[in-house]
Amino acid sequence: MLRYAAGYLTTAVVFLALDAVWLTQMAERLYRPHIGALMADKPNLPAAVAFYLIYIAAVLGLAILPALRPDGGWQRLLTSAALFGFAAYATYDLTNQATLKTWSTVVTVADMAWGAFVTTAAASAGYFVASRLGGR
């Protein structure tokens, strides 16, 4: 249980740190110029917390835990995390692009790339810590 909690916590810390840098750097450079009219003045904190808690749990269950199995490993972790991050961010962005009057393809492409990267980086950190606690 400690192994999974440490993997979750490590993944969460890395994901939150990277996402905070991304969002603070890209809000004015990417999001505001392309979708500024849709942006809230300030984030909805309860919704953001819910997203991060759920998303990190999904990263743990869909990428880290399978990679910790005897037939898993780094390659499985990298593939699963990148695919999940890409698909999750694609779901959000492509749904917005399909249903909203104005949504930028530039934002969609950037978000999908970011989702794959940040998910893989955070999952790698979580996997590293969890694998060290489990002897793998």
Side-chain angles (χ1 to χ4, degrees), residues 48-106:
V49 169
F51 163 75
Y52 286 113
L53 291 173
I54 293 166
Y55 193 83
I56 299 306
V59 172
L60 181 71
L62 297 173
I64 297 171
L65 296 183
L68 290 171
R69 293 185 192 133
D71 63 339
W74 277 107
Q75 185 174 6
R76 183 168 185 174
L77 179 275
L78 295 174
T79 302
S80 297
L83 181 60
F84 174 68
F86 182 83
Y89 278 65
T91 300
Y92 170 78
D93 283 283
L94 292 172
T95 298
N96 285 339
Q97 199 160 359
T99 61
L100 299 177
K101 287 183 181 182
T102 58
W103 189 265
S104 169
T105 301
V106 171

Side-chain angles (χ1 to χ4, degrees), residues 1-82:
M1 188 58 128
L2 175 63
R3 176 186 204 190
Y4 305 130
Y8 182 95
L9 184 60
T10 302
T11 303
V13 167
V14 172
F15 194 97
L16 288 167
L18 291 173
D19 215 32
V21 171
W22 171 262
L23 292 172
T24 58
Q25 295 300 307
M26 299 309 286
E28 296 302 321
R29 294 178 185 169
L30 175 65
Y31 299 110
R32 192 148 323 273
H34 292 283
I35 59 167
L38 299 172
M39 292 175 65
D41 293 332
K42 62 181 186 172
N44 177 328
L45 196 55
V49 169
F51 163 75
Y52 286 113
L53 291 173
I54 293 166
Y55 193 83
I56 299 306
V59 172
L60 181 71
L62 297 173
I64 297 171
L65 296 183
L68 290 171
R69 293 185 192 133
D71 63 339
W74 277 107
Q75 185 174 6
R76 183 168 185 174
L77 179 275
L78 295 174
T79 302
S80 297

